[in-house]
Amino acid sequence: MKHYKLVLPEHMNHQQSLFGGNLLSWIDEVAYMTANLQFPNHRFVTVALDNVEFKHRIDCGEIICFCATLEKQGSTSLTYFISVSGTRKNAEMILFETRITFVSVDEQGLKKSIC
Amino acid sequence: MKHYKLVLPEHMNHQQSLFGGNLLSWIDEVAYMTANLQFPNHRFVTVALDNVEFKHRIDCGEIICFCATLEKQGSTSLTYFISVSGTRKNAEMILFETRITFVSVDEQGLKKSIC
Amino acid sequence: MKHYKLVLPEHMNHQQSLFGGNLLSWIDEVAYMTANLQFPNHRFVTVALDNVEFKHRIDCGEIICFCATLEKQGSTSLTYFISVSGTRKNAEMILFETRITFVSVDEQGLKKSIC
Amino acid sequence: MKHYKLVLPEHMNHQQSLFGGNLLSWIDEVAYMTANLQFPNHRFVTVALDNVEFKHRIDCGEIICFCATLEKQGSTSLTYFISVSGTRKNAEMILFETRITFVSVDEQGLKKSIC
Amino acid sequence: MKHYKLVLPEHMNHQQSLFGGNLLSWIDEVAYMTANLQFPNHRFVTVALDNVEFKHRIDCGEIICFCATLEKQGSTSLTYFISVSGTRKNAEMILFETRITFVSVDEQGLKKSIC
Amino acid sequence: MKHYKLVLPEHMNHQQSLFGGNLLSWIDEVAYMTANLQFPNHRFVTVALDNVEFKHRIDCGEIICFCATLEKQGSTSLTYFISVSGTRKNAEMILFETRITFVSVDEQGLKKSIC
């Protein structure tokens, strides 16, 4: 499932590139939406984010694409592979990739099977 | 170097716990401040965040402490160990730990020695 | 092209439903992203939003889907039909529909052909 | 009733003009405040926004004036005419005009008479 | 000159009342707008805020009125008296009062006469 | 107790300096955190901010240090002296100083002893 984010001035750091913290925040948000759309009627909480390597500077006005693919489905957990890409010289380019894991919980916060 | 964040309603998800994306964003911000305070007159960009495991739910109104310690200083990079703690039953408790790496760059974005 | 938005506490009004202003803001953002992804290398500015009727209350935690379809391409303008849907009783339901129009401009803000 | 908004950097798009989504959001907010100040002790929800035409670019640092005038009062609804103006060459100029409609609801969301 | 602010969930602290920091921020914003509307073509910077006493809790959903009155006009400075009021039991009530002072500066930040 | 804030583009006014309202908001936030960390298990509300004089322009990218020192402890109130400093020409410089007072309240908002 693909998600897009528009990089606005409010997301920048003072060096005129995207503040890395916003990028991290968006990974969590788009993966969470994907999990909820694919497994409705569950409560998911983020339990782990794999290591992330930022290799490319991201500028204001760019539209970034987050592609979230279910990589592993456990009895109470979901791991998504997240590929983040942008456009460089009119061609799509992978900016970085990571994984994020959610667990399904009940209203008390205890693990609950995914069905 | 210690930094504190107050968890406000604007930081919550709809399950009444801290939205994980904000936590990730704060790691980047506090480590960036630490690097700039310890190594003034440099331009740092985030290049990597180690994997993160969220083991504890964080509630509205909590004050979270981020302790950033320089773990490794390369010729052009800095790696900080980040320990995030909160208060549970009147005792300080580690919520999670990770590492974050910055590189020093010049105005063109090329790597530059840290002095 | 589909876009998703997660309704968080920061988007709510004090009556515990989505603040309508955020919904209006999202229409502009998702349509703008669609126009830029479909017609790269242009500068688009919003010139018109068709009338909007909000018939359904939107709650915190919902994931809303914005589907933007190019309806009319003029020499310097693009009109997108925007269909906004959510999930009600496990079924997708249209929440409202509208149209939004952009014009392509050059760096001085003068109209410029779309190619 | 007049309301003013100061256009700050956080409201801009990457083309250095006001992000249209913020303008739409402000229409809803100022009209909602007007309705609540003129008809206290009601619960209003936005049900419709008339079409909007953005004819003028708005820059950072501008102060925009929203003038909301009650145009039509139904038994359970209120329609406000919204005239948005700014200053161009030291003279006030209408930037655009639209209408917005609210209905009065009770705690269950059912329509309720305006008194 | 009167200005209104709608207290939304994003402005609250975790004790379900308005975060005082937002209130302080709004004083600066509304007084700044007043100064610019009354003395166009100047650059104003805030130089002083008088002491503030918060005597009343402010809840989510309230509409607060800021009334800014020019109290003293110096050759390069303006002092506004700010009266902040809300509605309690259907009657308008002063919540607190303060003063804020701006100076007029040129592009280099040097003081410049107000005309 | 020291707190740091990174001045980001989202905090600026349109004259490319820190929007004074944000600075006021941060004073409240950092003092509130200090009070809660030094006197846990209390509910504090801000009751007064002493007058503030802004003598120095603050730029984007600066890291500001807020040092909060308990100056007076009453039976139900705490007054903190806040010293705000930045770096100018590689030396730390006081930007301004003020005082902020909190009272301890119970769940009904009535004053409660600090212990």
Side-chain angles (χ1 to χ4, degrees):
Chain A
M1 180 168 274
K2 286 186 173 182
H3 300 269
Y4 301 90
K5 286 283 178 183
L6 172 62
V7 181
L8 287 169
E10 63 180 305
H11 304 128
M12 308 308 284
N13 63 24
H14 69 286
Q15 298 171 5
Q16 308 302 326
S17 62
L18 175 60
F19 173 49
N22 283 319
L23 203 48
L24 292 168
S25 173
W26 292 339
I27 296 168
D28 189 40
E29 186 188 359
V30 301
Y32 177 85
M33 288 197 286
T34 307
N36 276 279
L37 288 165
Q38 295 182 341
F39 297 87
N41 302 318
H42 287 76
R43 295 168 75 93
F44 291 108
V45 294
T46 313
V47 289
L49 177 74
D50 217 356
N51 66 313
V52 178
E53 271 186 69
F54 298 121
K55 293 171 187 161
H56 303 276
R57 172 195 167 95
I58 297 174
D59 290 315
C60 193
E62 284 197 49
I63 296 168
I64 308 174
C65 178
F66 295 78
C67 185
T69 315
L70 183 60
E71 195 176 72
K72 187 177 158 195
Q73 180 180 347
S75 60
T76 60
S77 71
L78 299 174
T79 298
Y80 282 91
F81 178 78
I82 310 292
S83 175
V84 181
S85 59
T87 304
R88 294 288 182 280
K89 297 179 182 169
N90 288 325
E92 196 189 21
M93 196 178 77
I94 302 288
L95 298 173
F96 67 89
E97 297 171 333
T98 189
R99 281 168 187 77
I100 191 165
T101 302
F102 298 94
V103 290
S104 161
V105 295
D106 63 15
E107 292 195 12
Q108 280 69 47
L110 301 173
K111 287 185 184 178
K112 191 184 161 184
S113 293
I114 294 169
C115 46
Chain B
M1 179 169 275
K2 287 187 172 182
H3 300 269
Y4 301 90
K5 286 282 178 183
L6 173 62
V7 181
L8 289 169
E10 62 180 306
H11 304 129
M12 310 307 284
N13 63 25
H14 69 285
Q15 297 171 4
Q16 307 301 326
S17 61
L18 175 59
F19 173 49
N22 283 319
L23 203 46
L24 292 169
S25 172
W26 292 340
I27 295 168
D28 188 41
E29 185 188 0
V30 302
Y32 177 85
M33 287 197 287
T34 307
N36 276 279
L37 289 164
Q38 295 181 343
F39 298 87
N41 302 319
H42 287 75
R43 295 169 75 93
F44 290 108
V45 294
T46 313
V47 289
L49 177 74
D50 215 357
N51 65 315
V52 179
E53 273 186 68
F54 298 121
K55 293 172 185 159
H56 303 277
R57 173 196 166 94
I58 298 174
D59 289 316
C60 193
E62 283 197 50
I63 296 168
I64 308 174
C65 178
F66 295 78
C67 186
T69 315
L70 183 60
E71 197 177 71
K72 188 178 158 195
Q73 180 181 346
S75 60
T76 61
S77 71
L78 299 174
T79 299
Y80 281 91
F81 178 77
I82 311 291
S83 175
V84 181
S85 59
T87 305
R88 294 288 183 280
K89 297 178 180 169
N90 288 325
E92 194 189 23
M93 196 179 77
I94 302 288
L95 298 173
F96 68 89
E97 296 170 335
T98 189
R99 279 168 190 78
I100 190 165
T101 302
F102 298 94
V103 290
S104 162
V105 295
D106 62 16
E107 292 194 13
Q108 279 69 47
L110 301 173
K111 287 186 183 178
K112 191 184 159 184
S113 292
I114 295 169
C115 45
Chain C
M1 181 170 273
K2 287 186 172 181
H3 300 270
Y4 302 90
K5 287 283 178 183
L6 172 62
V7 181
L8 288 168
E10 62 179 305
H11 304 129
M12 308 308 285
N13 64 25
H14 70 284
Q15 296 171 4
Q16 308 301 326
S17 62
L18 175 59
F19 172 48
N22 283 319
L23 204 46
L24 293 168
S25 173
W26 292 340
I27 296 167
D28 188 42
E29 186 188 358
V30 301
Y32 177 85
M33 287 197 286
T34 307
N36 276 280
L37 289 165
Q38 294 182 342
F39 298 87
N41 302 320
H42 288 76
R43 294 168 77 93
F44 290 109
V45 294
T46 313
V47 289
L49 178 74
D50 215 357
N51 67 314
V52 178
E53 272 186 68
F54 298 122
K55 294 172 185 159
H56 303 277
R57 174 196 165 94
I58 298 175
D59 289 317
C60 193
E62 283 197 49
I63 295 167
I64 308 174
C65 179
F66 295 77
C67 186
T69 314
L70 183 60
E71 198 178 68
K72 187 178 158 195
Q73 180 180 346
S75 60
T76 60
S77 70
L78 299 175
T79 298
Y80 282 91
F81 178 78
I82 310 291
S83 174
V84 181
S85 59
T87 305
R88 294 288 182 281
K89 297 179 181 170
N90 289 325
E92 196 190 19
M93 197 178 77
I94 302 288
L95 298 173
F96 67 89
E97 295 169 334
T98 189
R99 279 167 189 79
I100 191 166
T101 302
F102 298 95
V103 289
S104 162
V105 294
D106 62 16
E107 292 195 13
Q108 279 69 46
L110 300 174
K111 287 186 184 178
K112 191 184 159 184
S113 292
I114 294 170
C115 44
Chain D
M1 181 169 274
K2 287 185 173 185
H3 301 270
Y4 301 90
K5 286 283 179 182
L6 173 61
V7 181
L8 288 169
E10 62 180 306
H11 304 130
M12 309 307 284
N13 63 24
H14 69 286
Q15 297 170 3
Q16 307 302 327
S17 61
L18 175 60
F19 173 49
N22 282 320
L23 203 47
L24 293 168
S25 173
W26 291 340
I27 296 168
D28 188 41
E29 186 187 359
V30 301
Y32 178 84
M33 287 197 288
T34 307
N36 276 278
L37 288 165
Q38 295 182 342
F39 298 87
N41 302 320
H42 287 76
R43 295 167 75 92
F44 291 108
V45 293
T46 313
V47 288
L49 177 74
D50 215 357
N51 66 314
V52 179
E53 272 185 69
F54 297 122
K55 293 172 186 159
H56 303 276
R57 172 195 167 95
I58 298 175
D59 289 317
C60 192
E62 283 196 50
I63 296 168
I64 308 175
C65 179
F66 296 78
C67 185
T69 315
L70 183 60
E71 196 177 70
K72 186 178 159 195
Q73 180 180 346
S75 60
T76 61
S77 71
L78 299 174
T79 299
Y80 282 92
F81 178 78
I82 310 292
S83 174
V84 181
S85 59
T87 305
R88 294 289 182 280
K89 297 180 181 169
N90 288 325
E92 196 189 19
M93 196 179 77
I94 302 288
L95 299 173
F96 67 89
E97 296 170 334
T98 189
R99 281 167 187 78
I100 191 166
T101 302
F102 298 95
V103 291
S104 161
V105 295
D106 63 16
E107 292 195 12
Q108 279 69 47
L110 300 173
K111 286 185 184 178
K112 193 184 159 184
S113 293
I114 295 169
C115 44
Chain E
M1 181 168 274
K2 287 186 172 183
H3 300 269
Y4 301 91
K5 286 282 179 183
L6 172 62
V7 182
L8 288 169
E10 62 180 305
H11 305 130
M12 308 308 284
N13 63 24
H14 69 285
Q15 296 170 6
Q16 308 301 327
S17 61
L18 175 59
F19 173 49
N22 283 319
L23 203 46
L24 293 168
S25 172
W26 292 340
I27 296 167
D28 188 41
E29 186 188 0
V30 301
Y32 178 84
M33 287 197 287
T34 307
N36 276 279
L37 288 164
Q38 294 182 343
F39 298 87
N41 302 319
H42 287 76
R43 295 168 76 93
F44 291 108
V45 294
T46 313
V47 289
L49 178 74
D50 216 357
N51 67 313
V52 179
E53 271 187 70
F54 298 121
K55 293 172 186 159
H56 303 276
R57 172 197 167 94
I58 297 174
D59 289 316
C60 193
E62 283 197 48
I63 295 167
I64 309 173
C65 179
F66 295 78
C67 186
T69 314
L70 183 60
E71 196 177 70
K72 187 179 158 193
Q73 180 180 346
S75 60
T76 60
S77 71
L78 299 174
T79 299
Y80 282 92
F81 178 78
I82 310 291
S83 175
V84 182
S85 59
T87 305
R88 294 288 184 280
K89 297 178 182 170
N90 288 326
E92 196 189 21
M93 197 178 77
I94 302 288
L95 299 173
F96 67 89
E97 296 170 334
T98 189
R99 280 167 189 79
I100 190 165
T101 302
F102 298 95
V103 290
S104 161
V105 295
D106 62 16
E107 291 195 13
Q108 279 69 46
L110 300 173
K111 286 186 185 179
K112 192 183 158 184
S113 293
I114 295 169
C115 45
Chain F
M1 180 169 276
K2 287 186 174 182
H3 300 270
Y4 302 91
K5 286 282 178 183
L6 172 61
V7 181
L8 288 169
E10 63 180 305
H11 304 129
M12 309 308 284
N13 63 24
H14 69 284
Q15 298 170 5
Q16 307 302 326
S17 61
L18 175 60
F19 172 50
N22 283 319
L23 203 47
L24 294 168
S25 173
W26 292 341
I27 296 168
D28 188 40
E29 185 187 0
V30 301
Y32 178 85
M33 287 197 287
T34 307
N36 275 278
L37 288 165
Q38 294 182 343
F39 298 87
N41 301 320
H42 287 76
R43 295 169 75 94
F44 291 108
V45 294
T46 313
V47 289
L49 178 74
D50 216 354
N51 66 316
V52 179
E53 272 184 68
F54 298 122
K55 294 171 186 160
H56 303 276
R57 172 195 167 95
I58 298 175
D59 290 315
C60 193
E62 283 197 50
I63 296 168
I64 308 174
C65 179
F66 296 78
C67 186
T69 314
L70 183 60
E71 196 177 71
K72 188 178 158 195
Q73 179 180 347
S75 61
T76 61
S77 71
L78 299 175
T79 298
Y80 282 91
F81 178 78
I82 310 291
S83 174
V84 181
S85 60
T87 305
R88 293 289 181 280
K89 298 179 180 169
N90 288 325
E92 195 188 21
M93 197 177 78
I94 302 289
L95 299 174
F96 67 89
E97 296 171 333
T98 189
R99 280 167 188 79
I100 190 166
T101 302
F102 298 95
V103 290
S104 161
V105 295
D106 63 16
E107 292 194 11
Q108 280 69 46
L110 301 173
K111 287 186 183 178
K112 191 183 160 185
S113 293
I114 295 169
C115 45

